[in-house]
Amino acid sequence: MTAAAWQGLTAELDLWAAQGRTAYFWWRDDDAVAASPALDRLLELQATREAPLALAIIPAQLQESLAGRLAGHDGIAALQHGYAHRNHASLTEKKCEFPASRPLADRLSDLQAGQALMRQHFGRQFQPIFVPPWNRLAADCLPEMPRLGYTAASGFTPRKTYWAAPGLAWLNTHVDPIDWHGTDNSGAAMRSLTAASALLRAMRLGEQQLQPVGLLTHHLRHDETIWHFTDVFLATTTRHAAVRWLDPAAALQIGSPPAVPPAVTPTS
């Protein structure tokens, strides 16, 4: 990672500050199932940098140690990460736990079973934002999710619209420093940093819909390069005057369309 890339992020944030604007950020970490040394390190980093953290938890793999570790921990939200994080895609589909080729009734059953486990184990820490494994799920699930109690779905890449379906918002992530197709985490981290600056610039210029910039991490997959990147990214942004880090509930308010008042029918 080059100093120029970090300077690019800071320079962009300086432009936000000069215009009196606030750049919003949120943080999602995926694949949590149990207490571990890696989770301890993640929680220590969160406490040090004081950035709210949304932990995406796999319900069917959940171990009691995780709920105990998170109990009473300030600044942590629990999100539902699929059901079992199992690939049900056909040979012609990309990896997906909730693909179009799978019966909708089975998908909705897993959604409900996973949510019940999350509510049981995490209580008020649970926020009904669904994080699909591999950041994808079939579109026909989306209209069904509000009636199951979900307020948002969270994927990856900038959202094109605020609403995924009536009553269901998108709350996406954008900055993933892991090289999932190789071993060059340093290069992937630098590319993710460039992507963060580009998204901020596009929003500042009105070329992209306003939305919180989402940092995506996976504590069980971090090497020292990724731990260092995450720490520096958090340090650089949390201390900048133009930045505000949000928990998921607050992040959902950013870019939310104004409520449309109901039509008034004349009485005479």
Side-chain angles (χ1 to χ4, degrees):
M1 289 173 283
T2 65
W6 290 109
Q7 291 168 359
L9 176 62
T10 300
E12 179 56 40
L13 291 172
D14 288 345
L15 291 172
W16 281 68
Q19 295 179 10
R21 300 182 62 180
T22 300
Y24 298 98
F25 286 73
W26 80 291
W27 180 11
R28 194 187 98 201
D29 185 276
D30 286 3
D31 300 340
V33 295
S36 67
L39 180 65
D40 289 342
R41 187 169 180 177
L42 183 77
L43 297 181
E44 181 180 358
L45 180 58
Q46 182 274 327
T48 299
R49 297 305 177 194
E50 299 182 325
L53 171 63
L55 203 59
I57 297 163
I58 305 171
Q61 296 186 34
L62 174 62
Q63 298 180 28
E64 289 291 341
S65 63
L66 180 60
R69 182 67 180 85
L70 298 184
H73 202 295
D74 293 335
I76 306 296
L79 309 186
Q80 181 183 344
H81 192 26
Y83 175 62
H85 208 299
R86 179 182 176 187
N87 179 29
H88 289 284
S90 68
L91 294 178
T92 60
E93 297 172 310
K94 293 182 178 180
K95 285 184 177 181
C96 185
E97 189 171 16
F98 298 85
S101 58
R102 188 181 176 204
L104 179 60
D106 292 349
R107 288 178 272 152
L108 298 182
S109 177
D110 275 2
L111 285 171
Q112 291 178 290
Q115 185 180 148
L117 287 170
M118 293 296 296
R119 292 188 183 279
Q120 174 188 344
H121 289 280
F122 298 101
R124 293 184 179 180
Q125 281 183 306
F126 172 64
Q127 294 192 22
I129 297 170
F130 184 71
V131 180
W134 299 286
N135 290 299
R136 62 177 69 97
L137 77 166
D140 61 341
C141 283
L142 300 174
E144 306 292 333
M145 294 174 68
R147 69 176 179 82
L148 302 182
Y150 296 99
T151 58
S154 181
F156 188 78
T157 69
R159 67 188 179 203
K160 296 179 180 179
T161 61
Y162 179 83
W163 294 112
L168 186 77
W170 284 119
L171 182 61
N172 286 352
T173 54
H174 316 90
V175 182
D176 182 353
I178 294 179
D179 180 6
W180 292 101
H181 303 291
T183 58
D184 184 16
N185 280 341
S186 180
M190 187 171 68
R191 290 189 293 273
S192 73
L193 188 59
T194 301
S197 299
L199 175 59
L200 286 163
R201 180 179 184 276
M203 288 191 292
R204 178 173 55 82
L205 297 177
E207 299 170 353
Q208 180 61 256
Q209 185 185 82
L210 180 66
Q211 56 199 284
V213 178
L215 171 64
L216 175 58
T217 58
H218 293 74
H219 65 280
L220 295 174
R221 298 290 298 267
H222 287 193
D223 60 12
E224 288 304 317
T225 295
I226 301 302
W227 283 117
H228 177 71
F229 170 87
T230 304
D231 186 29
V232 177
F233 187 88
L234 291 169
T236 300
T237 52
T238 54
R239 67 189 178 207
H240 198 285
V243 172
R244 183 180 175 193
W245 280 83
L246 304 173
D247 65 28
L252 277 174
Q253 304 306 311
I254 307 306
S256 174
V260 178
V264 177
T265 303
T267 57
S268 61

